[in-house]
Amino acid sequence: MGLRAKIGIAIAATAAVVAVLIGVLVHNRTVDAQFDLAAESIDGRLQSLVQDRAAGVDTGRAIVDPPDLPGPLKKAVEHGERGVYLEPGGPAPHLWAASKLNGEIIALKRPYVREREVLRSLDRVLWVSGVAGTGLGCVVGLLVAHRLGRRLTTSAGTAQRIAEGDLTARLPRGGKDEIAQLATAVNTMADALAARLQAERDVTANIAHELRTPVAGLVAAAGLLPPSRPTELVQDRAQRVRGLMEDVLEVARLDARTEEADTELRSLGELARRTVAAMSAGAAPGVGPGAVPDAGSVEVRVVSDGLVETDPRRVERVLVNLVGNALRHGAAPVAVEIEGGVLRVRDSGPGFPDALLAHGPQRFRTGGGSDGHGLGLGLTIASGQARVLGARLTFANPAGGGAEATLDLSGALRSSTEDAASDRPRSDSP
């Protein structure tokens, strides 16, 4: 049960309880007031009749020794007391008053129907008022609950946007209640988080920029060394440093959220084939010769091809990183599958770490790869590029084992090219 329903039910229940309590209180007070007034009136008349009869005047209104006198009143009178008694039995209640004079019981009796009808009318009014009040309480409760629930839903949505990386999201300010205090606290937290992350990004980007020139010089100097095994090691390490520096710069650009996609209409299956083939030759974006081991063994399966309006360079970058991650940290066989506007990369390794499945790729956070070097920046860059494309990149460990990364470009799918590609092999290994 949601908070809105709980608040609405609580207010409605409170209104109903208050209506019942007020109704019971008014009913009982009215009953007591009616009886006191009627008893005072009939007792006064009885005293006048007793005085008249004691003086020898018989007005004919008194009942002498009535046989149907109620037992409780008769017992009180026999003990020398004057009393008033309401006889509720029968269809028409009566009010009795009696006193004893010279061994005789002098009594008065009158119907109590008018008071009973007034009480019934009052009860009907109380019931109608109680129902109306409860209904009004329900309406007010729903309105209050809806308003509070909408504000809390807005707060939760904004907090979720901040958690997903939109550090410009803020809650509207206004009011002095607890929800307004919550909004202020969330905005303050978002400001502090944005400032901290921006400082970290600036430091990272500045370091990468400062290292760009010396790293480029290092790579150039390594290229001038005479051929030898130590030279190969130096050149390999220099290339890795340069690759890491370029990755850091790319992450900084993606974090700034200033990148925009340059879209074209492309066949997703053909794009995947060319990218994997380029990886084998060391010509893919961000991939040098031999940078991705065994790229030539990757199998491309086109279940159903499709034309997508997307940025082919960024799709290549995502695919290169997913395949590279599968080859480095997974196990053969590695397959790229195309189905409409969906691209999947599967491997037979130990699967993605639980932290990545729960929170997504985190820059500089490593996991247990087969070579012990962790995940690096590859998946972080892939997620950032997918966001620029307006696509959805998800990670899963299938039940049969291994790891599966899925890039969903269905939103950019324009038409199917399955018939046009039917004469092509359904799978190949570039």
Side-chain angles (χ1 to χ4, degrees), residues 57-96:
V57 179
D58 187 4
T59 60
R61 292 180 295 172
I63 304 174
V64 180
D65 293 329
D68 55 346
L69 186 68
L73 181 58
K74 184 176 182 180
K75 184 180 298 185
V77 171
E78 288 177 349
H79 285 82
E81 299 177 2
R82 185 178 76 251
V84 177
Y85 181 78
L86 176 60
E87 184 182 26
H94 289 82
L95 185 66
W96 288 84

Side-chain angles (χ1 to χ4, degrees), residues 48 330 416:
S48 298
S416 175

Side-chain angles (χ1 to χ4, degrees), residues 297-301 323 326 333-337 344-347:
S297 64
V298 178
E299 182 182 14
V300 179
R301 305 190 190 107
V323 171
V334 174
V336 177
E337 182 180 278
R344 299 184 182 90
V345 177
R346 296 193 182 100
D347 67 66

Side-chain angles (χ1 to χ4, degrees), residues 26 81 96 116 131 166 196 236 288 310 316 319 360 370 375:
V26 172
E81 299 177 2
W96 288 84
R116 187 61 56 87
V131 172
D166 184 5
R196 180 174 179 178
D236 178 69
T310 187
E316 289 177 6
L319 183 55
S370 60
L375 297 173

Side-chain angles (χ1 to χ4, degrees), residues 7-345:
I7 294 176
I9 291 174
I11 295 179
T14 302
V17 170
V18 170
V20 170
L21 291 177
I22 292 177
V24 171
L25 179 61
V26 172
H27 175 89
N28 292 336
R29 292 297 298 271
T30 302
V31 169
D32 294 340
Q34 281 184 334
F35 180 78
D36 292 342
L37 184 61
E40 184 179 355
S41 174
I42 197 172
D43 184 62
R45 291 168 52 197
L46 176 65
Q47 292 184 47
S48 298
L49 289 176
V50 170
Q51 291 174 1
D52 291 343
R53 192 170 183 85
V57 179
D58 187 4
T59 60
R61 292 180 295 172
I63 304 174
V64 180
D65 293 329
D68 55 346
L69 186 68
L73 181 58
K74 184 176 182 180
K75 184 180 298 185
V77 171
E78 288 177 349
H79 285 82
E81 299 177 2
R82 185 178 76 251
V84 177
Y85 181 78
L86 176 60
E87 184 182 26
H94 289 82
L95 185 66
W96 288 84
S99 181
K100 200 167 187 178
L101 177 65
N102 298 328
E104 297 178 328
I105 296 178
I106 310 300
L108 278 178
K109 176 183 179 182
R110 79 167 182 84
Y112 203 73
V113 176
R114 182 173 60 84
E115 288 82 358
R116 187 61 56 87
E117 289 299 326
V118 170
L119 187 61
R120 288 176 178 173
S121 298
L122 177 63
D123 288 344
R124 285 194 293 269
V125 172
L126 290 175
W127 272 109
V128 172
S129 301
V131 172
T134 302
L136 181 60
C138 289
V139 173
V140 172
L142 290 175
L143 290 176
V144 172
H146 177 72
R147 184 170 181 271
L148 293 177
R150 184 174 57 186
R151 294 173 65 189
L152 289 174
T153 301
T154 301
S155 302
T158 302
Q160 183 63 34
R161 287 169 56 194
I162 295 172
E164 292 174 353
D166 184 5
L167 299 181
T168 62
R170 294 293 184 275
L171 289 172
R173 300 180 183 271
K176 297 182 179 179
D177 56 6
E178 287 78 2
I179 297 181
Q181 295 176 7
L182 172 64
T184 301
V186 170
N187 290 341
T188 302
M189 178 198 67
D191 291 338
L193 181 62
R196 180 174 179 178
L197 290 179
Q198 187 60 45
E200 291 180 357
R201 291 168 183 169
D202 290 343
V203 169
T204 303
N206 290 337
I207 291 175
H209 278 292
E210 291 295 328
L211 289 176
R212 201 168 196 174
T213 300
V215 168
L218 177 63
V219 172
L224 298 176
L225 294 175
S228 64
R229 179 56 181 166
T231 297
E232 292 177 2
L233 293 176
V234 171
Q235 291 174 344
D236 178 69
R237 297 301 183 269
Q239 290 291 346
R240 288 194 178 186
V241 171
R242 184 172 68 175
L244 177 60
M245 181 193 64
E246 294 297 336
D247 286 347
V248 171
L249 287 174
E250 186 172 357
V251 168
R253 290 194 300 269
L254 292 171
D255 284 344
R257 295 180 181 265
T258 57
E259 298 282 288
E260 294 183 0
D262 186 10
T263 60
E264 300 176 15
L265 195 62
R266 289 291 189 92
S267 164
L268 189 57
E270 186 62 28
L271 185 60
R273 286 190 179 95
R274 292 185 178 182
T275 301
V276 173
M279 289 181 67
S280 301
V287 177
V292 180
D294 301 324
S297 64
V298 178
E299 182 182 14
V300 179
R301 305 190 190 107
V302 181
V303 178
S304 60
D305 203 353
L307 291 176
V308 291
E309 188 173 355
T310 187
D311 188 332
R313 180 181 63 84
R314 297 184 188 277
V315 174
E316 289 177 6
R317 182 65 165 140
V318 173
L319 183 55
V320 165
N321 284 11
L322 294 181
V323 171
N325 183 79
L327 291 171
R328 290 189 184 97
H329 309 296
V334 174
V336 177
E337 182 180 278
I338 308 299
E339 186 174 1
V342 178
L343 184 151
R344 299 184 182 90
V345 177

